[in-house]
Amino acid sequence: MVAISNGQGGEQGWSSRSAFILAAIGAAVGLGNLWRFPTLAGESGGGAFVIFYIGCVFLLGLPLLLAEIFIGRAGQTDAVGSIRRVAEQSRVSKRWSLFGGLGALAAFLIVSFYSVVAGWVLYYAGVFAADFGSAVLAGDPFRGALAGESQEQIAGRMGNLFADPMLLLSMHFLFMGATLFIVARGVSGGIEKAATWLMPGFFVLLIGITIYGAIVGDVGEAAAFLFTPDWSKLTPEVMNSALGQALFSLSLGVAGIITYGSYIREGTKLGSTAAAIAFADTGVALIAGLMIFPIVFAVGLDPAAGPTLVFQTLPFAFESMPAGSLIGLLFFVLILVAAVTSSISLLEVPTAWGVGELGWSRTTSALVFGAGAFAIGVLCLLGYNVLSDVRPLGFWSIFAETDILDTVDGFTGKIMLPLGALFTSLFIGWRADRRLLETTTGLSRGMFTLWRFLLAWLCPIAVTIILVTGLFPSLLGAE
């Protein structure tokens, strides 16, 4: 198929609908699905959180996802320019485009610390690659991982990593370099190629490791944990976490889907495309739970281990599992692939803004924003060692005890993402031209009415709750 121009100086778009779906799934499927979702599910008691989360995805996440795709498809340029064009066509203030700038800034800040965290994944992939290599040389490729190391030694690897700024810096440099290289090559020559090569491999690895977990792990207990609700555990704090995860998982509020939507071919059915992305993203999160928790339960570890689940709990579990060395390597390769496809969507947002609004070449824009994100990431990683006493927003009670990385993460997640999602829902739900919406989305009358109702009423209320309780956690009874 012939690629199209999206209005950004001849920048090519997706070659097909399937290419866009793969790229958008890659943008949505990242550390949020493979690390954050199992972590939150484990901490929140499983079933009740999972069921409420699924409801949030389809009542809130899907309408917002379609809204962002529509803005990009109707605007055909960067996020700021696309919102401005929709506002012009709707005869409303062009100042609505400011929330596109907010999303671009959020994406820029997120990719800065996201690269640091992905660097941890790269480090562990290297650890397991070396371990598997030694197993092969020893003639025992199907042994358990990290043979001879105690649980304390395995858990201590993460602390040792944090204490080594040069190691953290090198991992961050390699990951950001790969992200920048792909984005600089353009949509068809870089991002689409990465998605069409990496995402099929991602799904093969995901299904393969899940089958492995079902065979050697306790899949029955894992399924009961994930899908049998204990409604007494569905507290306001758990519901708020599920609401936030629905936005985070679908990569909403950071203008990434708007930017990707601007590269869509004319005539693409936006409603079914958005549904396919939402179903795939949610399916990956649920399969990730079925991949991780059978292994955790099989060796008697705590499913509520929190953020250490992937980096400390699972590496110890792989030690006692058959072929644990190989599976550990494949597991971290799986997470690394998801991290790459998400990071390129994040860096693409400010890069497209530089091309569309400032007239820069793609290479220049990618280099400027990639270098800027790398620099902020350096500060974030130094917050674990050299700058461990620095509290950037220490005057603000909710950030008083957070290091640099957690401050940037918290500020973007608690404030910028909800604001971006709130403005999106208000803009499309109340201000965008109805005829333009109907023509571009191609929804049936009934589905269109339901979609706009959810955007006009339910989404703003839910997102406002996320925003307010994030700023004032005492409202949920949290510290």
Side-chain angles (χ1 to χ4, degrees), residues 102-473:
L102 178 68
L105 177 60
F108 171 71
L109 292 174
I110 291 172
V111 77
S112 69
F113 72 79
Y114 195 95
S115 177
V116 175
V117 177
W120 308 347
V121 179
L122 183 58
Y123 164 76
Y124 275 89
V127 167
F128 278 89
D131 184 64
F132 179 64
S134 65
V136 171
L137 291 175
D140 189 12
F142 299 111
R143 74 180 189 192
L146 307 174
E149 292 192 27
S150 66
Q151 184 172 5
E152 291 73 21
Q153 287 175 313
I154 294 174
R157 283 182 176 273
M158 195 168 192
N160 294 336
L161 173 64
F162 286 179
D164 189 338
M166 291 308 298
L167 182 56
L168 284 171
L169 180 63
S170 62
M171 296 297 103
H172 173 46
F173 177 81
L174 289 173
F175 186 85
M176 183 62 78
T179 300
L180 196 159
F181 175 77
I182 294 170
V183 171
R185 289 179 62 84
V187 178
S188 58
I191 300 173
E192 180 175 320
K193 283 187 176 179
T196 53
W197 278 96
L198 293 176
M199 291 311 296
F202 168 86
F203 284 111
V204 169
L205 285 173
L206 179 67
I207 299 300
I209 298 174
T210 302
I211 293 173
Y212 167 86
I215 293 172
V216 305
D218 193 338
V219 69
E221 187 174 357
F225 176 76
L226 284 171
F227 302 115
T228 303
D230 178 354
W231 297 113
S232 66
K233 294 182 178 179
L234 193 62
T235 64
E237 189 172 3
V238 168
M239 288 189 285
N240 194 61
S241 294
L243 282 167
Q245 176 63 13
L247 298 183
F248 186 90
S249 178
L250 288 169
S251 195
L252 299 171
V254 296
I257 299 299
I258 296 176
T259 304
Y260 273 19
S262 72
Y263 308 131
I264 296 178
R265 295 172 61 89
E266 186 176 356
T268 300
K269 295 181 179 180
L270 302 190
S272 59
T273 299
I277 296 167
F279 272 104
D281 179 73
T282 305
V284 168
L286 298 179
I287 294 172
L290 290 173
M291 173 181 64
I292 290 173
F293 287 117
I295 296 173
V296 171
F297 285 122
V299 294
L301 297 173
D302 184 6
T308 64
L309 181 66
V310 166
F311 296 106
Q312 292 180 318
T313 303
L314 278 175
F316 175 70
F318 290 136
E319 184 183 44
S320 59
M321 308 295 284
S325 182
L326 173 60
I327 297 300
L329 170 60
L330 296 178
F331 175 76
F332 282 103
V333 169
L334 169 73
I335 300 179
L336 190 60
V337 169
V340 168
T341 57
S342 291
S343 66
I344 59 179
S345 73
L346 291 167
L347 184 57
E348 174 64 13
V349 178
T351 297
W353 179 82
V355 174
E357 299 294 312
L358 302 180
W360 292 347
S361 70
R362 168 166 287 274
T363 301
T364 298
S365 191
L367 283 172
V368 168
F369 290 109
F374 176 77
I376 296 173
V378 171
L379 292 176
C380 290
L381 67 87
L382 292 177
Y384 287 108
N385 38 76
V386 178
L387 302 178
S388 60
D389 294 329
V390 174
R391 300 291 180 265
L393 296 178
F395 58 88
W396 197 340
S397 60
I398 58 174
F399 299 114
E401 300 301 322
T402 58
D403 55 43
I404 300 173
L405 188 149
D406 288 341
T407 298
V408 180
D409 181 13
F411 188 82
T412 53
K414 293 179 179 179
I415 300 174
M416 300 183 79
L417 267 67
L419 278 176
L422 177 61
F423 286 127
T424 300
S425 61
L426 293 174
F427 179 58
I428 301 301
W430 291 97
R431 304 300 290 161
D433 180 74
R434 181 185 179 93
R435 181 174 297 178
L436 177 64
L437 289 169
E438 290 177 328
T439 302
T440 307
T441 61
L443 295 175
S444 65
R445 184 181 297 272
M447 290 302 297
F448 180 86
T449 301
L450 174 61
W451 174 56
R452 207 163 190 204
F453 171 80
L454 292 173
L455 284 174
W457 295 101
L458 185 60
C459 290
I461 292 171
V463 174
T464 298
I465 290 172
I466 296 173
L467 179 62
V468 172
T469 53
L471 294 175
F472 306 100

